[in-house]
């Protein structure tokens, strides 16, 4: 995917394998040596290498259930005022789908199947992020941006949990 994006941006032919200029890179979760889930779908971060510098190693949180692992990476802008002091941690999530039942006490007639599993993941991801898993040098003053497929709407438990713990819903605002 990243090679194709780079080739397209460079205006090279469809057979292009490695364009001369590479503006897009990605965080390779396979290089982490830990589980990145139980199926072919996994979280990845694609970013502009000419604008952002990864700081420290990426981190995965996997709670060993049907949620996909959460991926986090700290970045620093390559330019701008005090760029070296402007780190932020980008966090990609893919919570359990609503399509099939997780069982009594976990499914919710209003919030969909597996709501309890998604809420558990939200709770654990928030706790994990408090530990600064990517060693962001900003530590307690770090900026976090959580994105991805939470499989929950704004009024549902997982999203509300993040809101109750200081995260601002940028879509809602």
């Amino acid at each position: 995917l990243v090679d194709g994006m780079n080739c397209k941006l460079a205006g090279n032919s469809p057979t292009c394998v490695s364009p001369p200029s590479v503006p897009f890179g990605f965080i390779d979760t396979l290089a982490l040596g830990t589980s990145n889930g139980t199926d072919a779908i996994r979280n990845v971060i694609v970013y502009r290498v000419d604008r952002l510098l990864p700081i420290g190693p990426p981190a995965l949180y996997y709670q060993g259930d049907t949620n996909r692992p959460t991926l986090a990476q700290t970045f620093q802008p390559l330019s701008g005022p005090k760029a070296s002091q402007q780190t932020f941690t980008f966090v990609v999530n893919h919570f359990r789908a609503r399509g099939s039942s997780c069982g009594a006490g976990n499914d919710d007639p209003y919030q969909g199947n597996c709501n309890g599993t998604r809420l558990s993941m939200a709770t654990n991801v928030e706790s994990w992020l408090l530990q600064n898993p990517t060693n962001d040098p900003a530590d307690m003053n770090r900026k976090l941006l959580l994105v991805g497929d939470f499989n929950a709407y704004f009024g549902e438990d997982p999203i509300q949990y993040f809101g109750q713990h200081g995260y601002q819903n940028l879509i809602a605002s």
Side-chain angles (χ1 to χ4, degrees):
L1 175 67
V2 171
D3 286 344
M5 291 168 59
N6 286 327
C7 286
K8 182 76 171 171
L9 193 64
N12 292 349
S13 72
T15 58
C16 169
V17 175
S18 181
S21 172
V22 183
F24 291 101
F26 70 100
I27 302 302
D28 185 1
T29 58
L30 293 178
L32 293 176
T34 59
S35 174
N36 194 0
T38 58
D39 60 18
I41 299 172
R42 64 180 188 267
N43 291 325
V44 173
I45 297 172
V46 176
Y47 67 100
R48 293 284 305 249
V49 299
D50 59 340
R51 296 186 182 163
L52 295 173
L53 175 67
I55 302 295
L60 278 174
Y61 173 75
Y62 185 47
Q63 66 182 27
D65 62 8
T66 54
N67 288 291
R68 294 196 172 92
T70 293
L71 171 63
Q73 175 67 59
T74 296
F75 291 97
Q76 165 187 312
L78 290 174
S79 63
K82 300 183 181 180
S84 65
Q85 300 170 19
Q86 300 298 321
T87 60
F88 66 95
T89 300
F90 191 78
V91 184
V92 182
N93 298 280
H94 192 167
F95 289 7
R96 175 69 162 91
R98 309 161 72 92
S100 56
S101 177
C102 285
N106 200 334
D107 297 342
D108 185 289
Y110 302 106
Q111 298 186 66
N113 292 330
C114 306
N115 183 63
T117 300
R118 288 188 297 280
L119 178 57
S120 169
M121 187 67 167
T123 305
N124 291 330
V125 164
E126 194 267 337
S127 295
W128 176 67
L129 291 172
L130 286 173
Q131 300 170 29
N132 194 6
T134 60
N135 297 315
D136 185 332
D139 197 26
M140 295 310 294
N141 295 318
R142 67 190 178 280
K143 297 170 190 81
L144 298 164
L145 178 61
L146 280 63
V147 301
D149 189 351
F150 295 92
N151 278 304
Y153 296 105
F154 176 72
E156 295 179 349
D157 294 339
I159 302 302
Q160 289 299 305
Y161 180 85
F162 284 120
Q164 293 162 2
H165 289 85
Y167 292 85
Q168 180 182 0
N169 187 319
L170 299 177
I171 293 171
S173 62

